[in-house]
Amino acid sequence: MKIGLLGAGTWGIALARMLSNTGNDVVVWSAIESEVEEYSQTRKHPNLPGMTIPQQIEFTVDIKSACVDKDIVLFAVPSVFVRSTAAKAAQYIDDNQIIVDVAKGIEPETLLTMTQIIEEELVKKGKHPQIVALSGPTHAEEVALDMPTTIVAACHNLETAEKVQDVFTNTCMRVYTNQDVLGVELCGALKNIIALAAGIASGLGYGDNVKAALMTRGLAEITRLGVAMGCFEETFTGLAGMGDLIVTATSKHSRNNKAGYLIGSGMKPEQAIKGVGMVVEGVNALPAAMQLASKYSVEMPIVEAVNAVINEGTDVKETVVTLMQRDKKSELPKSALDLSFEHTVIKNRKGLGMKRVITYGTFDLLHYGHINLLKRAKALGDYLVVVLSSDEFNWKEKHKKCYFTYEQRKALLESIRYVDLVIPENSWEQKKTDVHEYHIDTFVMGDDWEGKFDFLKDEGVEVVYLPRTPEISTTQIKHDLNANAAPDECGGYS
């Protein structure tokens, strides 16, 4: 396999070594000529002691030679350089390549994740390759020494994720797949902020109790935001979420943890960042995290506290007191009765003898036609699950422009008495997973999809196509409302 790796930081070099040692042809690009000369000659990286760079790895300052005729082009530059690097590389990339990104962050100006930035720059040049986010608890210092590591390859196209899984899996690295790309990338960016908080706590002299609390409640904050943005909740308890958070908030190798410790010990944030000597991604992620929390009306008190210390100069100890004196809350997001009912009906295969039905849709501008279809779907069973297209899925995969956000459409659906549960749709391929996870008996769609989902019969599911309500069309309603309305940056209408 021919692999071009863009970026010569610790993570990039550790991956380059691993991929070369497993039989791949690796070329590493850096924009810094002195780096290329040093690594080519010494075969050492100053921040990876004990590691030798294989002789067969080629270094170059020519980005074209790192991209052309490669099976995989791997982005391993800091998040702040992903856009400029993608813009440079775009003209040399073709649609048959797989792009893999290992940078973690969110661009503050656009609120785009790293794969979204890469995609945007490639599309400008008319390029549409598959893009995979590779993320998880993977410190370069350990990967460089062949210590066992696990990671997640996330792509909307499961087949592409599995190809990357095959290339990166070896005796030292175990790769899992995930189709929730946005969820995986949110985890990778936001866990760095919680790691800053954990480091600050250690610098203040606090013990393990505080660190455990920060990680647990920090993960709850990240999960709340992710679910509000249409991600799978399970992603946040997986390797990219909980796994990466634990290692980043506790490890001696963590730049974010170290920066936080220096701040808690009394250093000014800018001094602490300089003291780390490498990019502290948690600091870069703060502006976007604050904007996303506001945009999706999600409470993120730990993120807000870290932002107050780093960007607003708030006293660290006073910030801790403010956090501890917040209003009292329950740990459960729903009542115990609601949670017990959902667990019994959805997670227990035997349940209460209920027949479970599932249907999919965008359900924008909810009207009688939608409600009538939901009513007839519910009549086929006892419990109706509606899988609602997320904003990102609508915009990027369905190419639909919606008047309402995912959360607004979800709230409307939940108000209908026929609907028992609403979950997000993030990919075309998730239907097989959904029917098994929610123990579905009957799959329902409108008859304009006749025959398209018969493959689910092989999963032991009854497939029913219901006639649409005549003379009612969401498309016509949108046209009548405002045929020429301009979509906003989220794919909806202002």
Side-chain angles (χ1 to χ4, degrees), residues 11 13-22 48-52 54 139-150 170-174:
W11 189 211
I13 295 299
L15 284 172
R17 172 189 173 275
M18 184 196 78
L19 291 165
S20 178
N21 285 345
T22 53
L48 294 174
M51 185 206 77
T52 300
H139 278 312
E141 293 82 355
E142 296 182 7
V143 173
L145 298 177
D146 293 330
M147 294 184 183
T149 301
T150 53
N170 55 67
T171 56
C172 301
M173 178 173 283
R174 179 173 173 81

Side-chain angles (χ1 to χ4, degrees), residues 356-376:
R356 289 165 286 276
V357 182
I358 197 166
T359 190
Y360 291 70
T362 303
F363 295 101
D364 191 32
L365 296 174
L366 196 68
H367 52 65
Y368 171 71
H370 290 138
I371 297 171
N372 187 33
L373 185 137
L374 294 170
K375 178 181 178 180
R376 288 178 290 145

Side-chain angles (χ1 to χ4, degrees), residues 306-317:
V306 174
N307 183 70
V309 169
I310 291 179
N311 292 323
E312 298 172 7
T314 304
D315 181 79
V316 178
K317 291 187 177 179

Side-chain angles (χ1 to χ4, degrees), residues 85-116:
T85 303
K88 290 177 184 176
Q91 60 184 312
Y92 306 118
I93 288 171
D94 64 58
D95 291 354
N96 296 321
Q97 293 174 313
I98 295 176
I99 308 302
V100 176
D101 171 71
V102 297
K104 300 172 182 178
I106 304 169
E107 192 173 50
E109 297 84 4
T110 63
L111 302 184
L112 295 178
T113 63
M114 299 298 100
T115 64
Q116 290 170 340

Side-chain angles (χ1 to χ4, degrees), residues 2-17:
K2 295 181 180 179
I3 298 174
L5 197 151
L6 309 181
T10 55
W11 189 211
I13 295 299
L15 284 172
R17 172 189 173 275

Side-chain angles (χ1 to χ4, degrees), residues 152-397:
V152 176
C155 184
H156 298 300
N157 186 313
L158 183 58
E159 184 179 351
T160 303
E162 289 173 343
K163 288 180 182 177
V164 171
Q165 181 182 43
D166 290 340
V167 173
F168 283 78
T169 295
N170 55 67
T171 56
C172 301
M173 178 173 283
R174 179 173 173 81
V175 184
Y176 291 79
T177 59
N178 192 325
Q179 290 173 276
D180 181 12
V181 182
L182 179 60
V184 166
E185 291 197 271
L186 283 177
C187 289
L190 301 182
K191 55 88 183 177
N192 288 325
I193 299 173
I194 307 305
L196 281 169
I200 290 171
S202 295
L204 287 167
Y206 298 149
D208 294 337
N209 292 346
V210 172
K211 188 168 287 189
L214 285 169
M215 286 190 286
T216 305
R217 296 311 305 163
L219 183 61
E221 292 185 18
I222 297 170
T223 304
R224 279 200 299 270
L225 177 62
V227 171
M229 293 176 68
C231 305
F232 293 141
E233 189 170 352
E234 290 80 3
T235 297
F236 299 89
T237 55
L239 288 170
M242 181 188 297
D244 208 359
L245 174 59
I246 291 171
V247 77
T248 310
T250 63
S251 175
K252 64 182 179 181
H253 300 306
S254 170
R255 306 170 191 176
N256 297 280
N257 192 23
K258 182 178 180 181
Y261 180 86
L262 294 175
I263 293 168
S265 300
M267 274 193 185
K268 296 291 185 184
E270 57 271 19
Q271 294 174 322
I273 295 167
K274 188 175 180 179
V276 171
M278 293 183 282
V279 176
V280 180
E281 291 287 16
V283 173
N284 295 334
L286 273 168
M290 293 294 293
Q291 291 179 65
L292 287 171
S294 174
K295 179 177 179 178
Y296 290 93
S297 301
V298 173
E299 190 178 25
M300 302 185 76
I302 296 174
V303 171
E304 291 172 8
V306 174
N307 183 70
V309 169
I310 291 179
N311 292 323
E312 298 172 7
T314 304
D315 181 79
V316 178
K317 291 187 177 179
E318 288 181 5
T319 303
V320 173
V321 172
T322 302
L323 269 176
M324 294 298 289
Q325 293 182 341
R326 293 173 60 248
D327 292 343
K328 292 173 286 198
K329 296 181 179 294
S330 170
E331 188 176 42
L332 298 177
K334 302 178 184 178
S335 72
L337 183 62
D338 286 343
L339 289 170
S340 177
F341 178 75
E342 285 186 13
H343 177 77
T344 300
V345 176
I346 299 301
K347 300 299 181 184
N348 186 335
R349 186 174 292 276
K350 293 182 180 178
L352 299 173
M354 287 187 175
K355 185 176 181 182
R356 289 165 286 276
V357 182
I358 197 166
T359 190
Y360 291 70
T362 303
F363 295 101
D364 191 32
L365 296 174
L366 196 68
H367 52 65
Y368 171 71
H370 290 138
I371 297 171
N372 187 33
L373 185 137
L374 294 170
K375 178 181 178 180
R376 288 178 290 145
K378 178 63 176 284
L380 296 173
D382 305 291
Y383 195 92
L384 178 60
V385 179
V386 178
V387 188
L388 180 65
S389 302
S390 68
D391 295 328
E392 184 183 29
F393 184 59
N394 274 334
W395 184 245
K396 292 193 170 184
E397 300 296 330

